[in-house]
Amino acid sequence: MVADEAPAGTLRPGGRTARVRRAVLRATGDVLAEKGFRHLDLAEVAERAGVGKTTVYRRWGSAAGLVAELLVEMAEDSLPRTDTGSLLGDLRANARLVQRTLTDPRQGPLFKAVIAAASWDERTAEALHRFYDTRLQEWAPCVRQAVDRGEVPTGTDAREVIRAVSAPLYHRLLLSGDPLDEAAADRAAEAAAAAARAGAYVVPAAGSANSATAHLP
Amino acid sequence: MVADEAPAGTLRPGGRTARVRRAVLRATGDVLAEKGFRHLDLAEVAERAGVGKTTVYRRWGSAAGLVAELLVEMAEDSLPRTDTGSLLGDLRANARLVQRTLTDPRQGPLFKAVIAAASWDERTAEALHRFYDTRLQEWAPCVRQAVDRGEVPTGTDAREVIRAVSAPLYHRLLLSGDPLDEAAADRAAEAAAAAARAGAYVVPAAGSANSATAHLP
């Protein structure tokens, strides 16, 4: 039980406010994973977190508000990228991280619930886009390093390469129901690396004369 | 208004039963696209379709039942694959079809609603898997033809190649919010073709000695 009211002057970073936030977001993730966004009830979150309902309503206001801040925390807490020294090694590390996350008994249902909610709730969609921006930025340097090493052509778009690694894994989770195993992760990484080497992710520099049409047939 | 009761002996394929089905599934798609699965109400569907409520409850039973049959109809009605004579041409046609579908003002929201519902409703998930099986089977021959023409290595897995074309487009729709335009479709097709040519989608034959490990590093 986190005390709902603290004496004046005791709030500090890492203190009660941070503990309340952590407990509330933990409970939010639990309810999402167990029951989905439709059943995310602020009173239940407050009870599970051991904080007063008023605190949760005042600070987060709605289920969408809770999920938006949960995604901020997930981006803050997510693992730094792996630097293996080769593009294929780096992309394989990224693919296996995504695969482990999506098959984790808590994280898998949590991601499904957030993605579903993003399809009808604009605030959740924006929070999800920001989460992916953060992850794409974290992993983008592995593509820039591959360009510097001469593994892939100059102009290779890091965002496209990193997307190509995770997209087939999300497709299995959300659409086809095909197995989401390590072999699927490795194949996604190998395919993205092969396509990058072949120049498939080279995009025209912004502002170049034919930027809109340079890659049309 | 479709008559809810027909005289005995008048039911025939393409007759009243088929008209009722068409009207009910059309209304189901309309409600899904406008309001999402959470607001898919059988009474509203019956009213929009101009059929009796009893007919809808008796034949489809639930919102999940309606969506499952809508997906069967969508698979039946979806366009046959394009045969352009080259793998890249075929994959580009597939990518542009997916891109046009997902950005269509009715089909885009409809797909989002069905995918969201599949994340918590098992019957909808199974219907969605069958829909993708049908579409993957429809397009698989373009990969087998590419193998015969020597464009890609023997053993290239058609399902993996076709998935690689659409997965980045669904990733834009559901996760990143990045533009879902023709350039994105063409890039997805080019990347899948390049990875296929490089052998990234060759899978070990079922039953081969090292089928589980042959592609691990």
Side-chain angles (χ1 to χ4, degrees), chain A residues 2 10-22 59-60:
Chain A
V2 179
T10 62
L11 295 181
R12 61 186 196 284
R16 194 187 73 92
T17 303
R19 281 199 310 278
V20 165
R21 176 179 188 253
R22 219 159 27 236
R59 174 146 176 201
W60 287 280

Side-chain angles (χ1 to χ4, degrees), chain B residues 34-77:
Chain B
E34 289 167 30
K35 303 181 174 184
F37 183 89
R38 293 165 306 150
H39 303 290
L40 185 60
D41 174 64
L42 271 64
E44 184 183 356
V45 167
E47 196 193 325
R48 288 192 184 209
V51 307
K53 266 197 292 190
T54 316
T55 302
V56 175
Y57 280 98
R58 200 172 46 216
R59 174 148 177 202
W60 287 279
S62 67
L66 283 172
V67 173
E69 195 159 333
L70 176 63
L71 283 164
V72 170
E73 189 193 51
M74 283 163 64
E76 287 166 0
D77 291 353

